[in-house]
């Protein structure tokens, strides 16, 4: 089957909360918008804010049940709290009067429960997603001020740097210690869990202080009681789990890096050929192709440290592509198991196509400078793995599917070529 790729290689070398309430959003010049468009499990309206490409709840979580309706125990007794290895919540100082402003405090076992602490359509942000937020707001040294509610109605003086220019409206809800006895720092600190464990004992968090403009990144015992903020899921991205890997079922179609920085769209062939940084285009520079096939990216975009894949996802490495093909019976048959069936998008004969994996591979073609080719015949996908072979320093590993074979094909792609991208869940 390698002979099928000889024309391609020649060209490459030549070119060396449970439901949503519709509501209009009013954006500002910083890419921040706010609207009341979430409802929690108790039918409470929750205001939200979009910061760069992330939509956050503007209030701390205040639910007494998991997503499936199972109750989360309220635990007031300090000894019981300290010995927990399952989810629980409390109010600061076990005083329900604190609920209206600060919401509930949850241990990390509730955050990590598979029944889901966040309402449907939402999730607890990972450490990486918190980092995306702080990067978007200018870095950890100044992001805290942009997130804190201004003034001293809830924060103690001096509430350093607080502008709330992001609309995040962070409040100083304090925390409950892992020993269950200690409640501290209401008015001085706001502390929020991430979904990221450090080890069997600790998990990652973020904190803000009344006397600083930074956002802190630390870790604490999972028995601790912290506030929780929820982040909206990436909208309607279909996924499929094949063996133990979870893949997006559609090609990537983003125009910004994970931190919100724009990825340039480049249509001019000379400009495309001279790039040494990330860029994208549509096949034939025709936006109509984006709806079906997504965008084509050069490998510089794949390899950019700002992250091409959305938070919680990554561009698969060569070994991960190999794991997929092995799982589907090996390279000689895996392509057929991955290709969309029929000839709606693939041209005939679309050999061996069963899509039994659910991967739904499409023939999105390839860009090489001023040449767009092979739509309908081939699909090409980048890996995140650079080629470590003499004379191939400007190449990266890729995979392709072809209309006349059931194989999945391993090859090298020139890093200036425009290929499709599929993302794999972290």
């Amino acid at each position: 089957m390698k002979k099928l790729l000889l024309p391609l290689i020649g060209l490459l070398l030549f070119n060396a909360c449970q439901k949503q309430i519709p509501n209009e959003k009013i954006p500002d010049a910083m890419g921040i918008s706010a609207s009341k468009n979430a409802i929690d499990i108790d039918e409470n309206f929750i205001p939200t804010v979009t910061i760069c490409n992330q939509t956050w709840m503007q209030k701390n979580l205040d639910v007494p049940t998991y997503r499936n309706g199972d109750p989360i125990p309220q635990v007031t007794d300090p000894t019981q709290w300290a010995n927990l290895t399952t989810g629980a919540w409390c109010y600061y100082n076990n005083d329900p009067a604190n609920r209206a402003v600060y919401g509930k405090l949850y241990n990390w076992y509730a955050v990590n429960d598979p029944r889901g602490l966040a309402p449907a359509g939402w999730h607890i942000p990972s450490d990486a997603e918190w980092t995306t937020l702080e990067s978007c707001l200018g870095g950890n040294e100044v992001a805290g001020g942009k997130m804190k509610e201004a003034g001293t109605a809830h924060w103690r003086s001096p509430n350093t740097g607080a502008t709330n220019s992001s609309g995040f409206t962070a409040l100083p809800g304090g925390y409950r210690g892992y020993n269950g006895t200690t409640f501290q720092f209401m008015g001085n600190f706001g502390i929020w869990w991430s979904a990221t464990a450090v080890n069997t004992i600790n998990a990652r968090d973020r904190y803000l202080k009344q006397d600083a403009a930074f956002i802190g990144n630390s870790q604490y015992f999972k028995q601790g009681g912290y506030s929780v903020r929820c982040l909206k899921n990436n909208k309607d991205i279909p996924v499929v789990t094949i063996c133990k890997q979870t893949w997006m079922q559609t090609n990537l179609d983003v125009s910004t890096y994970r931190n919100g920085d724009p990825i340039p769209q480049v249509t001019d062939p000379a400009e495309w050929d001279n790039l040494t940084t990330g860029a994208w285009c549509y096949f034939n520079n025709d936006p109509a192709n984006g709806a079906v096939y997504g965008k084509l990216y050069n490998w510089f975009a794949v390899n950019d440290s700002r992250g091409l894949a959305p938070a919680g996802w990554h561009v698969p490495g060569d070994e991960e592509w190999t794991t997929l093909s092995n799982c589907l019976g090996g390279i000689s048959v895996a392509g057929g198991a991955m290709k969309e069936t029929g000839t709606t998008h693939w041209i005939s004969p679309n050999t061996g196509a069963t899509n039994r994996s659910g991967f739904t591979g499409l023939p999105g073609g390839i860009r090489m400078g001023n040449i767009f080719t092979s739509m309908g015949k081939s699909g090409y996908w980048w890996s995140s793995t650079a080629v470590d072979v003499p004379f191939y320093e400007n190449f990266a590993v890729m995979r392709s599917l072809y209309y006349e074979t059931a194989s999945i094909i391993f090859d090298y792609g020139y890093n200036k070529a425009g290929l499709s991208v599929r993302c794999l869940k972290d």
Side-chain angles (χ1 to χ4, degrees):
M1 295 304 171
K2 196 73 171 179
K3 64 183 180 181
L4 296 171
L5 289 195
L6 290 176
L8 169 60
I9 294 174
L11 283 168
L12 292 173
L13 291 169
F14 178 78
N15 281 275
C17 305
Q18 285 193 315
K19 54 187 175 184
Q20 300 301 310
I21 303 300
N23 193 38
E24 183 178 2
K25 292 183 178 181
I26 305 172
D28 73 4
M30 296 175 65
I32 296 168
S33 61
S35 64
K36 289 188 177 181
N37 67 343
I39 294 180
D40 71 15
I41 200 164
D42 291 330
E43 300 297 313
N44 298 311
F45 284 87
I46 300 171
T48 68
V49 61
T50 298
I51 307 170
C52 294
N53 291 328
Q54 294 178 318
T55 297
W56 293 80
M57 291 184 180
Q58 278 184 304
K59 295 177 64 177
N60 294 339
L61 196 64
D62 185 30
V63 296
T65 63
Y66 293 109
R67 189 180 304 152
N68 70 347
D70 290 349
I72 308 168
Q74 178 183 8
V75 176
T76 58
D77 180 76
T79 302
Q80 184 182 355
W81 182 275
N83 290 318
L84 285 168
T85 57
T86 55
W89 65 269
C90 65
Y91 297 118
Y92 186 89
N93 273 341
N94 291 319
D95 184 354
N98 290 315
R99 173 189 180 185
V101 175
Y102 299 105
K104 293 178 171 61
L105 302 176
Y106 299 89
N107 65 16
W108 194 80
Y109 301 113
V111 170
N112 195 47
D113 195 287
R115 290 169 288 183
L117 179 60
W122 298 79
H123 65 278
I124 313 304
S126 67
D127 181 62
E129 289 171 317
W130 278 107
T131 299
T132 296
L133 174 65
E134 61 195 53
S135 296
C136 165
L137 295 177
N140 67 304
E141 291 299 319
V142 296
K146 297 176 182 179
M147 295 167 64
K148 290 191 294 180
E149 179 192 62
T152 54
H154 300 108
W155 287 94
R156 290 191 178 135
S157 184
N159 198 11
T160 303
T163 65
N164 198 30
S165 60
S166 70
F168 189 88
T169 316
L171 295 175
Y175 83 107
R176 184 178 192 172
Y178 71 94
N179 60 9
T181 303
T182 305
F183 290 90
Q184 282 186 308
F185 300 131
M186 179 174 279
N188 296 82
F189 280 79
I191 316 175
W192 294 267
W193 282 122
S194 83
T196 303
V198 176
N199 49 42
T200 58
I201 299 171
N202 295 343
R204 283 278 168 204
D205 61 58
R206 290 299 189 281
Y207 65 90
L208 305 177
K209 298 174 62 181
Q210 103 281 3
D211 60 354
F214 67 79
I215 179 170
N217 178 344
S218 65
Q219 56 181 278
Y220 192 60
F221 298 105
K222 295 176 182 179
Q223 291 92 341
Y226 284 177
S227 299
V228 168
R229 281 290 182 99
C230 295
L231 184 61
K232 194 173 184 180
N233 295 346
N234 295 317
K235 63 176 184 179
D236 301 328
I237 300 175
V239 302
V240 61
T241 298
I242 308 169
C243 295
K244 295 182 179 180
Q245 294 178 318
T246 298
W247 293 79
M248 291 184 181
Q249 277 186 304
T250 57
N251 293 339
L252 195 63
D253 187 29
V254 298
S255 55
T256 63
Y257 292 108
R258 186 180 304 159
N259 71 346
D261 290 350
I263 307 169
Q265 178 183 8
V266 176
T267 57
D268 180 76
E271 183 181 357
W272 182 276
D273 264 347
N274 289 318
L275 287 168
T276 57
T277 55
W280 66 268
C281 65
Y282 296 115
F283 188 90
N284 274 340
N285 291 319
D286 183 354
N289 290 318
V292 176
Y293 300 104
K295 294 178 171 64
L296 301 177
Y297 300 88
N298 63 17
W299 195 75
F300 302 117
V302 172
N303 196 45
D304 195 287
S305 60
R306 290 168 289 183
L308 179 59
W313 297 81
H314 63 278
V315 179
D318 175 50
E319 290 186 0
E320 291 170 313
W321 279 107
T322 299
T323 297
L324 175 64
S325 58
N326 289 342
C327 163
L328 295 175
I331 59 173
S332 63
V333 295
M338 295 166 64
K339 289 192 294 182
E340 180 193 60
T341 58
T343 54
T344 301
H345 300 110
W346 289 93
I347 65 172
S348 184
N350 197 11
T351 301
T354 66
N355 198 30
R356 63 180 173 84
S357 68
F359 186 87
T360 317
L362 294 175
I366 189 170
R367 179 182 188 173
M368 294 167 289
N370 65 340
I371 299 172
F372 291 90
T373 186
S374 298
M375 179 175 279
K377 292 184 176 182
S378 300
Y380 305 93
W381 291 271
W382 285 120
S383 82
S384 61
T385 304
V387 175
D388 187 19
V389 176
F391 309 112
Y392 286 89
E393 292 83 1
N394 296 319
F395 287 73
V397 176
M398 68 178 197
R399 292 298 191 280
S400 60
L401 306 177
Y402 193 61
Y403 79 110
E404 284 189 325
T405 178
S407 298
I408 182 172
I409 299 165
F410 168 98
D411 212 332
Y412 298 163
Y414 188 42
N415 56 17
K416 295 188 178 185
L419 276 61
S420 300
V421 169
R422 281 292 179 98
C423 295
L424 184 62
K425 196 169 185 180
D426 292 348

